[in-house]
Amino acid sequence: MSYVKVFGLCVGMIVLAGCSEPTIDASSEKAMKASVTEVRDSLPEGERDKFEKAVQVLAMSHINMEDVLSGGSDGLGTMQRRFYQSIDGKTAAEVFAEADIIIAERKERERQQALEEIRELEQKRVDSGSAREKLKQFEVMRSRFYLKDRDFTRDAPVIELTVKNGTDQAISRAYFEGTIASPDRSVPWLKDTFNYDISGGLEPGEEVTWTLAPNPYLDWGKVDAPADAVFTVTVERLDGADGEPLYSGQLFDEDDQKRLDELKAQYSAE
């Protein structure tokens, strides 16, 4: 090979070496900071912020709260070493590529979690509807509310209820929502909950009348409704003979519906 050819080959290798992309040196914190800055500055102006965010994505992917909580400063050191190892020797293009993979994997995990939550909420809605039908079988045959005069003390609120257990289960406690409202008014005078621990329980088919005395110092004792106000009661929950919830109409509420709508709007069409 002639001297001219050898010289030309050497010049070509030098030019190629000079044109190679800068890489990150993570041999130490100081070296990494300096090389990250060098790699960033070698990029077009429009890609520099993107590069900084990509580096942050790589760094965040190595954060493990269990290491932090269990290892303290040692745990932080472990995470830092993993990050340095993952980024050492990488070019800007390689940093971008790995950050894209991490973001894509994270979005897929979020999507799967959202779809699972959608399934759970939809099942919760179905279960709540089924429970509502069961609650209707525990009938409120009669409901009455009034304030009973007492000398020298606050008037005593009284709730009278006649109920019939039309379910096929013994009930140990019943939970209600009571509303005191006038027919010509859209806003009730009072809407509140109360419950009753049934001594001896209420067997299937049994009917009973209760006279309950809510605390006079709570809202029941403060209500000032006119004579035309009507007291209506709905059954919200029933506990079985073992004291555990048997049917509950509050399984699926407005917050659940809002959350379900948001998730379906974002993920169902994907």
Side-chain angles (χ1 to χ4, degrees):
M1 181 180 295
S2 69
Y3 174 77
V4 173
K5 289 183 178 179
V6 172
F7 179 76
L9 180 61
C10 291
V11 170
M13 292 176 64
I14 292 171
V15 170
L16 287 173
C19 293
S20 63
E21 295 182 65
T23 60
I24 296 174
D25 177 6
S27 59
S28 68
E29 183 175 357
K30 182 177 180 181
M32 193 199 72
K33 288 180 179 179
S35 60
V36 164
T37 300
E38 180 185 356
V39 173
R40 177 190 179 279
D41 292 345
S42 71
L43 296 170
E45 186 70 30
E47 293 189 3
R48 293 178 181 177
D49 287 345
K50 179 183 175 183
F51 175 74
E52 289 182 354
K53 291 177 181 178
V55 171
Q56 291 174 6
V57 168
L58 266 63
M60 293 296 292
S61 71
H62 292 281
I63 292 180
N64 186 321
M65 290 309 298
E66 289 184 3
D67 289 341
V68 175
L69 296 174
S70 63
S73 59
D74 291 338
L76 292 173
T78 299
M79 288 187 294
Q80 186 181 58
R81 284 192 296 274
R82 285 201 298 260
F83 168 53
Y84 282 10
Q85 291 169 1
S86 72
I87 204 169
D88 188 42
K90 280 186 169 53
T91 63
E94 291 170 331
V95 170
F96 286 141
E98 186 164 341
D100 287 343
I101 291 173
I102 292 171
I103 291 172
E105 290 176 345
R106 183 180 64 203
K107 287 184 176 179
E108 178 59 19
R109 287 194 300 271
E110 291 172 352
R111 190 181 76 87
Q112 291 299 331
Q113 290 171 356
L115 293 177
E116 178 60 28
E117 187 175 353
I118 287 172
R119 286 190 288 270
E120 290 175 355
L121 286 170
E122 288 180 333
Q123 185 60 50
K124 188 177 181 181
R125 182 169 59 184
V126 171
D127 293 342
S128 182
S130 176
R132 278 289 181 188
E133 292 302 312
K134 288 290 187 180
L135 291 174
K136 289 179 183 178
Q137 297 176 15
F138 193 91
E139 298 179 72
V140 178
M141 314 291 290
R142 173 179 173 271
S143 59
R144 184 185 174 205
F145 173 82
Y146 57 92
L147 293 173
K148 183 178 180 180
D149 292 336
R150 293 194 302 183
D151 294 336
F152 309 113
T153 59
R154 182 186 294 270
D155 291 347
V158 178
I159 293 175
E160 291 183 0
L161 286 182
T162 299
V163 301
K164 181 178 181 179
N165 181 11
T167 75
D168 57 359
Q169 302 287 328
I171 305 301
S172 63
R173 183 184 288 268
Y175 300 75
F176 306 94
E177 182 177 74
T179 302
I180 302 173
S182 295
D184 59 344
R185 299 180 68 89
S186 56
V187 179
W189 301 102
L190 176 67
K191 191 172 187 177
D192 204 353
T193 57
F194 62 97
N195 65 83
Y196 183 61
D197 185 11
I198 308 169
S199 178
L202 194 64
E203 295 295 324
E206 287 186 341
E207 181 178 322
V208 67
T209 296
W210 299 320
T211 300
L212 313 180
N215 189 326
Y217 295 98
L218 299 180
D219 289 342
W220 291 105
K222 302 174 184 177
V223 63
D224 185 18
D228 68 344
V230 178
F231 180 52
T232 57
V233 175
T234 57
V235 185
E236 295 297 316
R237 174 179 145 186
L238 298 172
D239 290 350
D242 59 359
E244 294 298 317
L246 189 61
Y247 311 118
S248 175
Q250 296 300 321
L251 287 174
F252 189 85
D253 57 21
E254 292 181 1
D255 289 338
D256 289 327
Q257 184 63 60
K258 182 179 178 182
R259 175 64 174 167
L260 179 58
D261 291 341
E262 291 172 349
L263 289 172
K264 292 182 76 170
Q266 184 174 357
Y267 291 100
S268 291
E270 293 186 1

